[in-house]
Each structure stands twice: as C-alpha cells, then as structure tokens.
C-alpha cells in the first residue's frame, strides 16, 4: 500500500472516530446514556481495535472511493459504520468467487 493511501485511510479513521465521539459527547451533554467518563473508557478500550478493524476493511478500496468516503465523513456527523452500511457505493467486502 502506498504511503498516500495509508495516510488517507488514517485520516478517514480519525475523522470517523471524531464524529463517533462527538455523538457520544452530545449524548452526555443531553444527559442520555453516556457521560464523559464513558467516552474516555471507550477511547481507552476500543480506539485501537476500531482503528485496526477499519484499516483492514479500507485497504480494499480505491483512492477515489476513499476520497468519497472522507468527503462523506467530513460533510456529515456519521461514522464509518454508518457510511459503509448505508451507502451502496461502498461494499463491505468484495466477494471471493461465484457460488
């Protein structure tokens, strides 16, 4: 993988985590299910796994598709889970072969 593609994937994941944590902080402010401590616990317990799992998934995408994903993340408050599940242009994984 080229350094540019790796950097693009890292930026996508960073933006996704920022959006996800923003939603958790908003929920904490509104007094819902999360509080500041739970956001910090999520970061400590899940951030590395979140990063590595999406890094592996995003390696299969072209630079053009990655650019579109980053644009979608930047223009919304969605995270990668929402983007990859709701947008048909971003398949979860390529099929290996015909059945």
């Amino acid at each position: 993988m080229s350094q540019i593609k790796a950097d693009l994937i890292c930026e996508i994941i960073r933006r996704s985590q920022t959006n996800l944590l923003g939603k958790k902080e908003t929920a904490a402010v509104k007094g819902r299910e999360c509080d500041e401590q739970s956001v910090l616990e999520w970061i400590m317990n899940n951030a590395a796994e979140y990063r590595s799992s999406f890094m592996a998934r995003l390696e299969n995408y072209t630079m053009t598709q990655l650019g579109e994903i980053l644009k979608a993340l930047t223009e919304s408050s969605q995270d990668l889970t929402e983007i990859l599940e709701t947008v048909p242009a971003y398949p979860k994984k390529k099929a290996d072969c015909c059945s």
Side-chain angles (χ1 to χ4, degrees):
M1 175 179 1
S2 75
Q3 185 62 47
I4 294 172
K5 186 173 183 177
D7 290 346
L8 182 56
I9 290 172
C10 286
E11 180 60 18
I12 287 168
I13 293 169
R14 185 200 66 75
R15 185 72 222 182
S16 178
Q17 284 181 318
T18 299
N19 289 354
L20 179 65
L21 292 173
K23 286 187 271 188
K24 289 183 177 295
E25 288 172 341
T26 300
V29 169
K30 292 181 179 178
R32 293 193 320 213
E33 62 203 53
C34 299
D35 60 10
E36 186 176 313
Q37 184 61 36
S38 67
V39 170
L40 292 174
E41 286 175 12
W42 186 92
I43 293 169
M44 291 185 325
N45 298 325
N46 300 305
E49 184 178 331
Y50 183 94
R51 184 173 219 40
S52 64
S53 90
F54 278 114
M55 180 72 79
R57 284 178 65 185
L58 293 171
E59 286 177 359
N60 296 322
Y61 293 96
T62 67
M63 294 284 286
T64 302
Q65 289 172 315
L66 292 172
E68 291 171 5
I69 292 170
L70 181 57
K71 182 180 178 187
L73 289 168
T74 303
E75 293 176 348
S76 71
S77 62
Q78 293 180 310
D79 62 80
L80 275 171
T81 304
E82 296 166 313
I83 297 278
L84 296 178
E85 287 180 357
T86 62
V87 181
Y90 310 124
K92 286 187 179 178
K93 196 167 187 178
K94 295 178 183 178
D96 291 334
C97 186
C98 302
S99 303

